[in-house]
Amino acid sequence: ELLIIAGAASGTLLVANPVRILKDIVAGLMASLKGSPFTKARYLSTLKMMYQFLNKVRKEGLLAVEMDVEKPEESTIFKNYPEFLGDHHARDFVCDTLRTAITGGVEPFDMDQMMELDMEVHHSAAVQPANSLNTVADSLPGLGIVAAVLGVVITMGSLGGPPEEIGKHVAAALVGTFLGILLCYGVVGPLAASMSKLADEHNEYLHVLRVLLLAFLKGSAPMIAIELGRRAIPAYARPNFDEMEKNCKNK
């Protein structure tokens, strides 16, 4: 039963997905076990970083931050926020948007369209590992039934033998169904759901960056842009205005 269920599920996963998605599944499982990084503290840190960065742009102009955007690891602002630098999707999202703004000639509406497209492409790729794992979870009850049917076949071949041997085979057949349902609804399914929620939370994080960047590119003051970004933070992690203001102005 274990060989049929685990082996067939693993084989299905390997055959149905390219190597990149298999790697993303492993990375997603590890990230899910660590818990969500998008807490109130993470959002406060991001708002403070963007406030410092936008203030520099406001005082010195977009050209003054060209090197910060080209080499964020060496930026005097970004290097103080290792969580942001470690999130290469968010880092590239911010830096590519600002790089385009420095180039000039792009209207805020078009910039918003580019950011939205970037988010859609990233989110589509981010949910693929979760969807693949969820497909495997859906197949597990069926694989359990296959194992149970094989157990029944073995049982039928043992008819006429000792009753205790027949009972052992029947029990083994029922274990196959039990394992398939347990692994589906108790292990693989919840892990896939956790990975999907984590991808959604990352998309919400990018949306906050999109809102505040667009507000600033439209001409809003840094603090107003940061406040608009704060309003876009999900309710479970949103700081209040006083927390944001004290955090941003605290050197």
Side-chain angles (χ1 to χ4, degrees):
E1 284 75 14
L2 284 172
L3 179 64
I4 291 173
I5 296 172
S10 301
T12 301
L13 189 65
L14 292 172
V15 171
N17 298 283
V19 176
R20 60 178 179 82
I21 292 184
L22 296 175
K23 291 180 179 178
D24 290 341
I25 289 174
V26 175
L29 289 174
M30 294 177 63
S32 297
L33 295 175
K34 291 179 181 177
S36 173
F38 303 106
T39 60
K40 180 188 287 189
R42 174 70 181 274
Y43 277 107
L44 281 171
S45 174
T46 300
L47 293 177
K48 182 176 182 179
M49 176 193 71
M50 294 307 301
Y51 177 72
Q52 294 173 347
F53 191 85
L54 297 181
N55 260 329
K56 182 177 180 179
V57 175
R58 189 69 176 263
K59 293 176 181 177
E60 303 176 20
L62 276 172
L63 290 177
V65 297
E66 185 173 6
M67 291 307 299
D68 296 85
V69 172
E70 294 294 336
K71 298 180 180 179
E73 297 83 1
E74 301 175 8
S75 168
T76 56
I77 296 176
F78 290 149
K79 70 180 182 181
N80 296 321
Y81 300 91
E83 286 184 340
F84 175 77
L85 289 177
D87 187 347
H88 64 278
H89 290 297
R91 180 194 64 203
D92 293 344
F93 181 79
V94 171
C95 291
D96 289 348
T97 301
L98 292 170
R99 187 181 290 113
T100 305
I102 292 171
T103 303
V106 182
E107 296 295 327
F109 175 80
D110 296 325
M111 193 75 73
D112 186 36
Q113 293 291 99
M114 282 193 290
M115 288 190 285
E116 182 180 12
L117 179 61
D118 194 354
M119 288 174 58
E120 288 178 358
V121 171
H122 168 64
H123 187 62
S124 176
V127 297
Q128 282 183 351
N131 291 339
S132 298
L133 202 61
N134 198 48
T135 301
V136 174
D138 292 339
S139 71
L140 284 170
L143 295 175
I145 293 174
V146 171
V149 170
L150 180 59
V152 171
V153 172
I154 295 174
T155 303
M156 297 300 289
S158 302
L159 290 179
E164 60 272 12
E165 184 177 344
I166 296 174
K168 182 180 178 181
H169 289 314
V170 171
L174 294 176
V175 166
T177 304
F178 165 75
L179 282 176
I181 296 174
L182 176 64
L183 291 174
C184 172
Y185 297 109
V187 180
V188 182
L191 286 173
S194 178
M195 288 172 57
S196 181
K197 288 184 177 68
L198 196 59
D200 291 339
E201 289 181 9
H202 194 271
N203 198 57
E204 291 168 348
Y205 180 74
L206 293 181
H207 179 66
V208 172
L209 293 171
R210 170 191 172 189
V211 167
L212 66 87
L213 283 171
L214 183 63
F216 183 75
L217 293 173
K218 286 182 177 180
S220 298
M223 182 53 74
I224 300 300
I226 297 302
E227 168 61 10
L228 287 171
R230 183 189 73 86
R231 300 282 181 101
I233 296 175
Y236 66 86
R238 181 190 299 171
N240 60 44
F241 183 84
D242 289 337
E243 288 176 324
M244 179 201 70
E245 188 177 32
K246 290 178 182 178
N247 180 69
C248 289
K249 295 185 177 180
N250 180 19
K251 297 182 180 180

